[in-house]
Amino acid sequence: MSEKSLAARPEIDVRGLHKSFGANEVLKGIDLEINQGEVVCVIGPSGSGKSTLLRCVNLLEEPTKGQVFVGGTELTDPDVDIDAVRRRIGMVFQQFNLFPHLTVTENLTLPQRRVLRRDKAQAAKVAAENLERVGLSEKASAYPASLSGGQQQRVAIARALAMGPEVMLFDEPTSALDPELVGDVLAVMRMLARDGMTMMVVTHEMTFAREVADRVVFMDGGVIVEDGTPEQVIGNPRHERTRHFLSRLLDPAMAEVEEETSDQVGGSGA
């Protein structure tokens, strides 16, 4: 992992963040700072609030309480120009969300022209540069249906990069991919990390988190349980909740045995 020069002011600053869906409180007071150039991987079990936290960072979900700052601008300020701030934030989802009737290049140029008001030639030039960054220059004229899932996700990353973001958010970007396609997507994300992009990544890819992340955040039950280097959180976790999660993630067969044992115990007591 390359050394990064970190700014004094956090690029992402989350303060006292709460999020409820009806009576269900999903986030229970999150405080998190991510500095410029940092790569922070957020891990945790399903339902821990990871994706909700990520979606609150660019206000795809409206926080119930708390503040979110990106680049020093408060997104949770009622008077903020949220569209202007969102232009500085790239987001890549589990699903690729490409327009099937448009070519790869057209998928990259459309948001540039509509949101950034770039002319056709400039948008095409930026699209070509970013397709080259993700290793897909030869697919510029292809349609999404002709691409593998990994290629479509790399196009989605290129589309986000074409908007010139200062921060990139990734929500389980490889979870919808076949295992043999994961590596190419992670390679692009490694490249972005080397280039100094500020990245917040919700992931279950522990190898990526170990090798690329500056910090790993473990969430469970809507709170941050641990926050430290990959060596600390993954290699030598302090909390039993973290150790239990990692043991189940790294040894799924053992998790299945535990679940079967639990079911049998529950059945005998019924």
Side-chain angles (χ1 to χ4, degrees):
M1 183 166 32
S2 62
E3 293 185 6
K4 301 180 177 72
S5 176
L6 302 181
R9 184 197 70 198
E11 194 69 25
I12 298 174
D13 189 2
V14 177
R15 305 178 186 175
L17 190 69
H18 292 254
K19 175 62 181 178
S20 297
F21 296 96
N24 182 24
E25 189 177 26
V26 177
L27 299 178
K28 304 174 182 178
I30 301 292
D31 294 299
L32 178 65
E33 293 184 357
I34 299 176
N35 291 313
Q36 184 178 355
E38 265 195 311
V39 178
V40 174
C41 285
V42 184
I43 65 173
S46 177
S48 60
K50 309 182 301 295
S51 292
T52 299
L53 171 60
L54 196 76
R55 293 172 67 85
C56 283
V57 168
N58 66 353
L59 252 61
L60 289 178
E61 295 288 356
E62 188 79 29
T64 305
K65 185 169 67 173
Q67 295 173 292
V68 176
F69 297 82
V70 174
T73 301
E74 184 184 353
L75 275 70
T76 41
D77 182 340
D79 297 324
V80 74
D81 183 348
I82 188 62
D83 291 330
V85 179
R86 281 196 182 126
R87 291 174 197 145
R88 295 152 51 187
I89 305 171
M91 183 143 186
V92 178
F93 300 88
Q94 296 178 32
Q95 303 301 323
F96 322 123
N97 299 323
L98 301 176
F99 292 111
H101 63 291
L102 300 180
T103 67
V104 165
T105 292
E106 289 167 343
N107 267 282
L108 268 66
T109 56
L110 180 64
Q112 294 182 65
R113 297 182 68 186
R114 288 193 175 177
V115 177
L116 302 180
R117 302 300 180 188
R118 288 175 179 160
D119 62 38
K120 185 175 182 179
Q122 184 184 14
K125 179 176 181 292
V126 172
E129 290 170 352
N130 283 286
L131 285 175
E132 184 177 1
R133 288 181 78 184
V134 303
L136 288 175
S137 294
E138 76 282 2
K139 299 295 184 180
S141 299
Y143 287 88
S146 70
L147 306 180
S148 70
Q151 290 171 332
Q152 290 186 60
Q153 189 63 291
R154 285 153 63 194
V155 171
I157 294 172
R159 178 181 57 190
L161 292 174
M163 303 298 285
E166 299 167 14
V167 170
M168 286 286 285
L169 308 178
F170 293 87
D171 187 7
E172 294 278 13
T174 60
S175 66
L177 302 179
D178 292 334
E180 67 269 21
L181 303 177
V182 169
D184 290 340
V185 174
L186 295 182
V188 170
M189 295 171 65
R190 286 186 175 92
M191 174 269 294
L192 294 178
R194 288 194 300 270
D195 291 348
M197 176 65 74
T198 305
M199 296 164 59
M200 182 176 176
V201 185
V202 171
T203 185
H204 61 276
E205 298 287 347
M206 291 300 105
T207 300
F208 176 83
R210 280 182 182 273
E211 295 177 357
V212 180
D214 296 290
R215 285 163 47 214
V216 174
V217 171
F218 172 67
M219 289 183 65
D220 193 16
V223 299
I224 292 176
V225 178
E226 293 202 44
D227 180 350
T229 66
E231 293 78 12
Q232 292 169 335
V233 177
I234 299 175
N236 188 29
R238 298 188 305 273
H239 294 270
E240 177 58 33
R241 288 158 78 183
T242 316
R243 290 192 291 269
H244 184 65
F245 167 75
L246 290 171
S247 69
R248 291 169 66 88
L249 184 66
L250 299 174
D251 189 359
M254 182 58 68
E256 290 176 9
V257 169
E258 288 181 7
E259 287 171 2
E260 289 177 4
T261 303
S262 175
D263 289 344
Q264 291 169 1
V265 171
S268 64

